[in-house]
Amino acid sequence: MIELPDYRPQVPASRLRVGLIGAGAIAGSAHLPAYAAWGIRVTAVASRTPGPAQELATRFGVETVYDTVTELLRDPEIEVVDLATGPTGRLDLIEAAVVNGKHVLAQKPLSIEEAELPRLFDILGVARERGLRVAVNQNARWAPAWRLATLLIRDGRIGDVVGVTHLHDKPLPPLAGTAFDEMPHMLLSDYLVHWIDITRCWLEGSQVTSVTAQDSRVPGQPEAARNPWHAALQLSLSTGASASLRIVGNAQTNAGGCPFWIHGTEGTIRGSVLLGSDFVELDRGETRTRFALEGQWFTDGFAGAMGELLSAIEDDREPENSAAHVAASVRIGLAATASAQANGSPVHPVDLDLTPATVRRNAA
């Protein structure tokens, strides 16, 4: 019998007051429902337009609605800021929160511009000097199947990771006519951020030596859909390990999900996430163990990301999803976009180590 690691979100009985910035669809469908379910205290909300913020506050019992983001950031009773906004101006908001003495959970992608990274590291340096924690809402790290796979790898259940493979076997969300469709190479620069990030976690302890990515339009893709619907990404690592991520297009299936395989020197983990496909199976030696899972990525993953930040604040440590740690995922995504822009030519990042200590040194 294999003991099941505790893969559920770890949310402390914290009385820290959280202020939410942003009142869009994701705030109402994921952030606030997750926090309500797991007892995370949100006491204020602000957005660029007061109407949606007021509606959210009424629906979820949030005490205070501020007319401006600045007012929320200046509230001395707010200790943690949850940035549920788009990527434009994200570093400005992180910096403003840090200047006002707030811990931060920032929505992903943390950055979509290589030129922003030096400024990000400067902000993180200021936060560190002030004893503040800056984390990223990489909520998929706490999707039950992916979280359990992470813990099994950490426990050495499959030895050293040899390869990671992801297949997107489900329809794409509506993209044509949305703001996402205006982003160059959107599947690589935004949509696949969670897949890139979890792959980075599973390959911890190695260095990325090559990133190759392609995207293209697919048969039947409507003209109104500006971004390609196919994307593929390959990583080569200093250890000889590799990773592959593939979106074939708007898959037409009623029984899909997002299957993944993690092959190691001593065993294999296989599983799936989304659309009710969630499972994890450990295949080692003569034994195959399939684990029953509790919970869902949406919305438990959001509780996991915030819960890890709150736990880190209470324990006076860096959160697993610290901005410094996620910076390596950002660099992989930027390299993938650059490769696609160059028609699939490999990009060879310099010093892209997937180790927490190295990432923190680079952020210093």
Side-chain angles (χ1 to χ4, degrees):
M1 177 68 69
I2 296 176
E3 183 178 352
L4 183 65
D6 189 359
Y7 61 89
R8 298 287 281 154
Q10 303 298 304
V11 180
S14 173
R15 301 308 297 167
L16 292 173
R17 295 170 181 254
V18 177
L20 174 68
I21 295 178
I26 196 67
S29 65
H31 290 249
L32 288 176
Y35 301 164
W38 288 83
I40 296 170
R41 188 182 184 194
V42 179
T43 61
V45 61
S47 72
R48 289 186 294 269
T49 52
Q54 183 61 63
E55 189 275 330
L56 276 184
T58 301
R59 179 150 55 107
F60 291 96
V62 179
E63 300 166 12
T64 304
V65 177
Y66 283 107
D67 291 333
T68 67
V69 169
T70 300
E71 288 178 280
L72 185 149
L73 291 175
R74 290 178 177 173
D75 183 344
E77 295 191 352
I78 299 297
E79 297 153 290
V80 180
V81 171
D82 182 18
L83 300 178
T85 60
T88 302
R90 181 161 293 149
L91 289 192
D92 292 335
L93 286 172
I94 295 173
E95 183 173 37
V98 168
V99 167
N100 282 277
K102 316 299 185 189
H103 304 281
V104 181
L105 181 69
Q107 184 58 282
K108 61 82 189 170
L110 182 59
S111 175
I112 57 174
E113 299 289 342
E114 183 84 36
E116 289 184 338
L117 293 182
R119 182 187 173 200
L120 169 65
F121 295 145
D122 288 342
I123 295 170
L124 297 183
V126 173
R128 185 168 52 254
E129 290 172 0
R130 298 187 176 197
L132 299 171
R133 309 301 179 190
V134 180
V136 184
N137 190 14
Q138 294 290 170
N139 46 78
R141 293 191 184 191
W142 284 270
W146 283 359
R147 181 63 176 175
L148 178 53
T150 299
L151 297 177
L152 291 172
I153 292 169
R154 288 180 184 173
D155 286 347
R157 301 294 182 89
I158 61 169
D160 296 328
V161 174
V162 173
V164 175
T165 307
H166 293 277
L167 176 63
H168 191 271
D169 182 29
K170 63 181 283 293
L172 289 167
L175 297 174
T178 70
F180 293 106
D181 209 21
E182 302 300 316
M183 300 175 64
H185 305 285
M186 184 277 301
L187 291 180
L188 294 165
S189 63
D190 187 281
Y191 186 82
L192 279 173
V193 163
H194 286 304
W195 281 260
I196 292 171
D197 181 68
I198 197 65
T199 300
R200 167 259 186 282
C201 292
W202 294 341
L203 293 169
E204 201 119 275
S206 56
Q207 184 178 60
V208 177
T209 57
S210 178
V211 180
T212 305
Q214 309 87 30
D215 55 6
S216 61
R217 299 181 69 85
V218 300
Q221 181 175 334
E223 289 297 324
R226 300 181 58 177
N227 258 284
W229 280 3
H230 156 262
L233 168 63
Q234 296 82 40
L235 304 180
S236 297
L237 287 303
S238 57
T239 58
S242 62
S244 176
L245 295 72
R246 187 178 183 208
I247 296 179
V248 298
N250 189 37
Q252 298 301 301
T253 173
N254 294 315
C258 293
F260 62 89
W261 297 261
I262 311 166
H263 291 91
T265 56
E266 299 175 18
T268 295
I269 298 169
R270 61 180 62 87
S272 185
V273 296
L274 295 175
L275 298 187
S277 69
D278 299 56
F279 81 94
V280 171
E281 181 179 85
L282 174 62
D283 190 343
R284 179 184 172 112
E286 300 298 320
T287 304
R288 292 174 63 181
T289 304
R290 193 177 180 104
F291 299 98
L293 296 175
E294 179 183 352
Q296 297 286 333
W297 176 350
F298 289 81
T299 60
D300 293 325
F302 290 77
M306 177 60 82
E308 171 60 13
L309 172 59
L310 297 178
S311 297
I313 294 168
E314 291 200 350
D315 297 342
D316 192 24
R317 60 172 174 81
E318 283 296 296
E320 286 188 30
N321 52 335
S322 71
H325 189 267
V326 174
S329 304
V330 172
R331 291 189 61 198
I332 294 172
L334 292 171
T337 302
S339 175
Q341 186 67 34
N343 297 315
S345 296
V347 172
H348 303 283
V350 176
D351 297 329
L352 183 42
D353 289 329
L354 304 185
T355 55
T358 301
V359 173
R360 285 198 292 271
R361 284 199 302 274
N362 289 342

